[in-house]
């Protein structure tokens, strides 16, 4: 075979991804990525702090993001994204917008997004104004997410959290599904599963079929936004944010919600994960 007749691999568009130092789900991000796009990942510097509000602030400083984008820029991505939910909501909407501007400034003016900003875009896409959130975080970090959503005019109808402070990537699909099922889902427009270190790709179709509402996840909205900014479409069959057929099928259930569940008052069952510490009881 004369390989000189070939032009080479499919021409690629690059997406630069800045992730926290403890991010462990690179493979999941690729599952939303079409063949013509390459992901170029880098990580923020290590900080010896458990997952918390303090850690979220430390890994989202402007200088940290600018340095990360500068490292990626040598391969000329056409868009950038900060793949961290807590790091992009902890400072509120103004801070999230400033983070995007800072990344674009360090990356030749290319469009930039963050996970939390992408979440607001996805909610607007779905027309959702009232939502349920589930997180692996502590109460204080979950509170901060709710504050961010309130600032954007989004009402949180219910929430559940795990209280974990590390090794969140070890949480199983089963635990994610159980947490979602435990959440208050009465009169809500959608469910959001927070944290880019929480695996969600395969549970989204299952939960949408069971709960009959759109299900968003941190990694899903991150890739949906970043790829659209790069002029590409994400891959995600049976996910209503991405798949028009899935969204149309859910529309037939408007007005039909799951039976109300007893609220757990933020006392979701906390599985014991190696290296993860449950949140201490309030003083």
């Amino acid at each position: 075979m004369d390989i000189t007749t070939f032009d080479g691999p499919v021409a690629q568009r690059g997406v630069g991804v800045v992730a926290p130092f403890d991010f462990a789900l690179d493979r999941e991000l690729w599952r939303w990525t079409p063949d013509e796009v390459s992901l170029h990942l880098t990580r923020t510097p290590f900080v010896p702090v458990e997952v918390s509000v303090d850690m979220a602030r430390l890994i989202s400083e402007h200088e940290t993001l600018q340095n990360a984008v500068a490292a990626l820029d040598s391969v000329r991505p056409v868009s950038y994204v900060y793949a961290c939910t807590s790091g992009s909501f902890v400072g509120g909407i103004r801070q999230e917008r400033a983070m995007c501007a800072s990344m674009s400034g360090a990356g030749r003016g290319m469009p930039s997004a963050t996970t939390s900003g992408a979440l607001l875009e996805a909610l607007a896409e779905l027309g959702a104004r009232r939502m349920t959130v589930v997180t692996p975080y502590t109460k204080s970090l979950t509170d901060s997410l709710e504050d961010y959503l309130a600032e954007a005019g989004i009402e949180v109808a219910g929430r559940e959290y795990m209280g974990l402070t590390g090794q969140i990537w070890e949480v199983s699909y089963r635990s994610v599904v159980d947490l979602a099922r435990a959440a208050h889902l009465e009169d809500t427009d959608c469910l959001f599963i927070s944290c880019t270190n929480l695996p969600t790709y395969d549970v989204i179709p299952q939960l949408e079929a069971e709960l009959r509402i759109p299900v968003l996840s941190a990694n899903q909205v991150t890739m949906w936004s970043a790829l659209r900014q790069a002029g590409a479409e994400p891959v995600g069959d049976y996910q209503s944010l991405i798949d028009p057929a899935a969204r149309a099928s859910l529309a037939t259930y408007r007005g039909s919600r799951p039976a109300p569940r007893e609220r757990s008052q933020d006392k979701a069952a906390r599985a014991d994960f190696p290296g993860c510490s449950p949140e201490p009881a309030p003083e």
Side-chain angles (χ1 to χ4, degrees), residues 13-38:
R13 280 168 282 179
V15 172
V17 182
V18 180
F21 65 89
D22 64 344
F23 181 70
L25 299 182
D26 304 52
R27 175 73 179 88
E28 176 154 291
L29 298 186
W30 279 98
R31 297 184 71 183
W32 277 285
T33 306
D35 289 342
E36 70 273 16
V37 174
S38 286

Side-chain angles (χ1 to χ4, degrees), residues 133-135 137-140 142-143 146 156-163 179 182-184 262-270 279 282:
V133 299
V134 296
T135 85
Y137 311 137
T138 60
K139 179 181 183 300
S140 58
T142 305
D143 288 344
E146 187 166 354
V156 174
R159 68 181 202 173
E160 293 288 341
Y161 63 89
M162 293 181 176
L179 190 69
H184 180 79
E262 183 180 354
R263 296 198 67 177
S264 65
Q265 300 300 321
D266 291 335
K267 293 180 180 177
R270 293 172 171 83
E279 182 184 17

